[in-house]
Amino acid sequence: DVKVTQSSRYLVKRTGEKVFLECVQDMDHENMFWYRQDPGLGLRLIYFSYDVKMKEKGDIPEGYSVSREKKERFSLILESASTNQTSMYLCASSNRGGVDEQFFGPGTRLTVL
Amino acid sequence: AQKVTQAQTEISVVEKEDVTLDCVYETRDTTYYLFWYKQPPSGELVFLIRRNSFDEQNEISGRYSWNFQKSTSSFNFTITASQVVDSAVYFCALSEAYNTDKLIFGTGTRLQVFP
């Protein structure tokens, strides 16, 4: 059963903390994505990676960075968490260059106090 | 500019009713792809369908059907005889030929099916 897994379902952090969200896929996909989901705003792309060590900014990259050291793993980093980063974070992966669907993880609900 | 609009924020129906979720898109590309995803309460988005811009044939899969009309830039999704398990948030999405790796999502429609 193919899977995208995320390290935590729920996470509570304090303002100013450095936060790591981890995502792992077992489908050998080239592409990996981090989205943020907020009520009324749908899914917004934070960062996208199409290969190891390659990344591309999405629509809302401010306050975030990413790391892709291995093909199967894509990390989202909040350098200094703020309350406006409280949200649901979704990771996804897909094949590159085709029009295949993206496969999603279960999401991490992050609360920043 | 590319955009996906799901004007219905929330829909409530009673079991066995038919329900249609609307999706309107904007793109300058002549080649593009449209998707529907379901997000149940568990949180994980589940792929339902992909349709390319050259295939306007409607599709039916069990109780689900999709109506693609290029003339109105719409890709609507109908659930026939809805069930409680259909309760979820449904997202419509678009990808364009010049950048098929990226999806542009609508804001989603929350469907609640009551017994």
Side-chain angles (χ1 to χ4, degrees):
Chain A
D1 196 17
V2 294
K3 265 190 179 299
V4 177
T5 56
Q6 295 183 229
S7 49
S8 308
R9 289 301 304 268
Y10 300 94
L11 210 52
V12 179
K13 295 292 181 181
R14 298 217 172 265
T15 302
E17 279 193 73
K18 190 167 185 176
V19 181
F20 292 87
L21 302 183
E22 307 284 343
C23 175
V24 177
Q25 51 96 3
D26 65 1
M27 294 168 278
D28 202 35
H29 284 161
E30 294 88 358
N31 295 337
M32 294 189 76
F33 306 83
W34 275 107
Y35 293 93
R36 173 176 169 159
Q37 182 180 4
D38 299 288
L41 297 177
L43 274 70
R44 294 180 292 168
L45 182 65
I46 304 172
Y47 266 99
F48 159 51
S49 169
Y50 52 90
D51 203 348
V52 175
K53 297 191 187 296
M54 306 305 289
K55 62 184 178 185
E56 207 173 288
K57 291 181 181 179
D59 300 317
I60 51 165
E62 297 78 19
Y64 304 95
S65 62
V66 290
S67 171
R68 188 142 179 229
E69 297 296 319
K70 293 185 177 181
K71 189 176 185 180
E72 67 270 19
R73 187 179 297 269
F74 191 34
S75 303
L76 180 69
I77 304 153
L78 287 65
E79 294 289 342
S80 178
S82 63
T83 55
N84 62 14
Q85 293 179 308
T86 292
S87 187
M88 170 71 92
Y89 291 88
L90 294 167
C91 176
S93 71
S94 71
N95 286 316
R96 177 158 177 77
V99 292
D100 293 339
E101 67 269 27
Q102 292 182 13
F103 292 82
F104 283 81
T108 296
R109 186 166 293 282
L110 172 67
T111 301
V112 182
L113 302 175
Chain B
Q2 61 274 39
K3 188 179 177 183
V4 175
T5 300
Q6 294 180 258
Q8 304 151 308
T9 306
E10 191 161 336
I11 302 175
S12 296
V13 299
V14 177
E15 249 189 333
K16 298 183 184 171
E17 281 187 43
D18 297 348
V19 58
T20 296
L21 282 61
D22 298 333
C23 173
V24 174
Y25 61 92
E26 293 175 33
T27 177
R28 291 191 190 128
D29 257 0
T30 55
T31 303
Y32 51 89
Y33 304 87
L34 296 163
F35 299 77
W36 275 95
Y37 281 85
K38 174 183 180 179
Q39 185 182 38
S42 60
E44 188 171 323
L45 269 77
V46 176
F47 167 77
L48 295 178
I49 190 171
R50 174 184 59 246
R51 179 50 52 99
N52 75 56
S53 54
F54 298 109
D55 183 2
E56 282 194 76
Q57 199 168 12
N58 291 334
E59 180 147 346
I60 298 174
S61 176
R63 296 183 297 107
Y64 294 172
S65 62
W66 290 269
N67 182 279
F68 177 28
Q69 291 198 341
K70 287 176 79 169
S71 60
T72 55
S73 297
S74 65
F75 186 43
N76 296 338
F77 172 31
T78 297
I79 302 174
T80 303
S82 59
Q83 299 177 3
V84 173
V85 292
D86 296 326
S87 297
V89 181
Y90 291 87
F91 290 96
C92 181
L94 164 75
S95 71
E96 296 173 311
Y98 78 95
N99 194 355
T100 56
D101 293 312
K102 287 189 184 174
L103 289 176
I104 300 141
F105 283 89
T107 52
T109 297
R110 180 177 298 278
L111 173 65
Q112 292 198 55
V113 182
F114 293 100

